[in-house]
Amino acid sequence: MAKHPVPKKKVSKSRRDIRRAAVSTLTAPTLIKCANCGALIPPHSVCDSCGYYAGKKVLEVQA
């Protein structure tokens, strides 16, 4: 007969809920300022406002 692990003490509802809540915490997306126009953009991406990436114009933006 196989023996499987059994909790030594009862886990309180508070501890159980804290453990479950720790997994589902959300973090705000990381945003940086565009070096050219100052708009907030995700890092390592072309700016939607001005079309610049790493100080170079890489995309023609229609106004």
Side-chain angles (χ1 to χ4, degrees):
M1 189 160 188
K3 292 189 177 189
H4 41 275
V6 179
K8 192 162 190 148
K9 299 265 184 190
K10 180 177 180 177
V11 177
S12 70
K13 292 172 189 152
S14 175
R15 281 193 181 272
R16 176 201 64 196
D17 293 344
I18 289 169
R19 183 181 66 244
R20 288 180 182 171
V23 175
S24 63
T25 55
L26 295 174
T27 56
T30 304
L31 296 175
I32 59 165
K33 276 189 176 180
C34 172
N36 187 53
C37 69
L40 292 176
I41 58 170
H44 310 289
S45 61
V46 178
C47 179
D48 292 331
S49 301
C50 63
Y52 273 72
Y53 179 77
K56 297 175 188 158
K57 183 95 169 164
V58 294
L59 187 67
E60 196 62 44
V61 180
Q62 297 175 352

